[in-house]
């Protein structure tokens, strides 16, 4: 069968990224221009600045991606672009750029859901991974537990009712004075402490999550006692949220009798969470549970994961025309 080469374009938040991926699995290039340094100053992503930065760099990022892959635009079979969810202005930059490129090259335009992209990040790190599996997507904008039945069929089993887990990490970091982006900083601080502070865990009858209660508890504890040990607070927060994640994943695996657990999204960079899921996989081994977590470089936002998801959309015949619009609240499977 002829190789299929997809260009992925990602601009949903504060990373401008273009990647070239062969057959949905082999990364030929994955160029990422991160705006973290720019937004750091404001303690979070400023949407208007994000859009402007995407506009300034996207063409250069695309050219670099082609050069690193050693191919020309002519050799590409399709252009996959993140349609949503994300910041509307940021999505519009990538979407408009992809439409322009599709128009001038006459290559098909393939829309991709960013959350489905995070799931597909695992196909790049684990060449033999195939659905079905239970996938936990933990990122700055999303916390979803999804039954991935095949490459295109997703059933949401649970999701956060308030904050995304990454948002809670970022807020805790800000409250204890660690700055933005918070996740990696909380993880580092937690390594110096002990998880000895009791924090409230939220569970529901179904497989939903909630992180606003624990976030508020951390804020209140810090407010009441500014001398509280921040390393212990970070370690306790990290342990508590991990417990909440693991409880629901274990329930889902048992309810759906699945053999594989897959983790995705920026928060899955966290080594405590990765190790805890290793332990869970060990504990559940009686049922031959396999655990899959993407390589760190495919956890946070990147275009290679968009190209991987784009490949599966491409072979399924999914196309967009020049009326493609950004959908900031696009749901998985839509
Ligand atoms: O997937 P991602 O790059 O963007 C979204 O689609 O949201 O995730 C970014 C989130 C941020 O909230 C960041 O703080 C969190 O991932 N993150 C982490 C770690 N590295 C990134 N959270 C906890 N521990 C980490 N090591
Ligand atoms: Zn993301």
């Amino acid at each position: 069968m002829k190789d299929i080469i997809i260009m992925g374009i990602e601009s949903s938040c504060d990373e401008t990224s273009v990647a070239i991926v062969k057959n949905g699995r082999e990364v030929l290039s994955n160029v990422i221009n991160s705006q973290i340094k720019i937004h750091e100053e404001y303690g979070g992503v400023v949407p208007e600045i994000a859009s402007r930065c995407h506009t300034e760099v996207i063409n250069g990022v695309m050219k670099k991606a082609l050069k690193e892959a050693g191919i020309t635009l002519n050799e590409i079979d399709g252009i996959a672009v993140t349609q949503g969810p994300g910041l509307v202005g940021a999505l519009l930059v990538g979407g408009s750029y992809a439409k322009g490129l599709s128009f001038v090259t006459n290559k098909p335009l393939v829309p991709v859901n960013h959350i489905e992209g995070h799931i597909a990040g695992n196909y790049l790190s684990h060449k033999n991974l195939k659905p079905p599996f239970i996938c936990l997507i933990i990122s700055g904008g999303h916390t979803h537990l999804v039954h991935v039945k095949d490459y295109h069929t997703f059933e949401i089993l649970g999701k956060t009712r308030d904050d995304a887990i990454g948002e809670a990490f970022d807020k805790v970091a800000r409250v204890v004075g660690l700055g933005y982006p918070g996740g990696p900083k909380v993880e580092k601080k937690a390594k110096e402490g002990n998880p000895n502070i009791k924090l409230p865990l939220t569970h529901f009858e179904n497989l939903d999550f909630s992180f606003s209660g624990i976030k508020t508890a951390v804020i209140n504890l810090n407010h009441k006692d500014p001398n509280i040990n921040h390393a212990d607070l970070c370690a306790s927060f990290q342990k508590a949220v991990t417990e909440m994640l693991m409880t629901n994943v274990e329930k889902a695996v048992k309810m759906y009798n699945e053999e594989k657990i897959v983790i995705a999204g920026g928060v899955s960079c966290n080594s405590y969470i990765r190790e805890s899921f290793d332990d869970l996989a060990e504990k559940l081994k009686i049922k031959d549970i396999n655990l899959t977590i993407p390589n760190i470089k495919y956890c946070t936002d990147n275009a290679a994961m968009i190209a991987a998801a784009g490949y599966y959309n491409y072979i399924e015949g999914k196309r967009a025309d020049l009326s493609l619009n950004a959908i900031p609240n696009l749901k998985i499977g839509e």
Side-chain angles (χ1 to χ4, degrees), residues 114 118 139-141 166 169-170 182-184 187 265-267 269-270 299-301:
H114 181 82
H118 273 299
S139 76
F169 264 98
D170 292 338
E187 178 185 348
V267 180
C269 290
N270 185 288
C299 287
T300 46
D301 290 350

Side-chain angles (χ1 to χ4, degrees), residues 8-12 16-17 54-55 58 79-84 87-103 109-112 320-327:
I9 300 179
E10 157 64 29
S11 72
S12 67
T16 319
S17 181
H54 287 309
T55 311
I58 196 161
I79 299 165
V81 64
T82 305
Q83 185 178 22
L87 301 169
V88 67
L91 289 165
L92 279 169
V93 178
S96 309
Y97 185 79
K99 283 198 275 187
L101 213 52
S102 160
F103 182 72
L109 187 61
V110 182
V112 173
D321 59 23
L322 296 182
S323 67
L324 172 103
N325 204 355
I327 307 179

Side-chain angles (χ1 to χ4, degrees), residues 34-104:
S34 172
Q35 305 172 5
I36 281 182
K37 283 270 164 287
I38 297 162
H39 298 288
E40 222 169 16
E41 199 183 319
Y42 304 95
V45 177
V46 184
E48 174 58 30
I49 296 177
S51 315
R52 219 172 300 166
C53 289
H54 287 309
T55 311
E56 282 164 15
V57 304
I58 196 161
N59 198 44
V61 170
M62 191 283 287
K63 284 185 175 162
K64 197 167 172 210
L66 280 178
K67 192 165 176 225
E68 284 185 12
I71 60 165
T72 63
L73 269 178
N74 239 349
E75 292 166 84
I76 284 163
D77 295 284
I79 299 165
V81 64
T82 305
Q83 185 178 22
L87 301 169
V88 67
L91 289 165
L92 279 169
V93 178
S96 309
Y97 185 79
K99 283 198 275 187
L101 213 52
S102 160
F103 182 72
V104 293

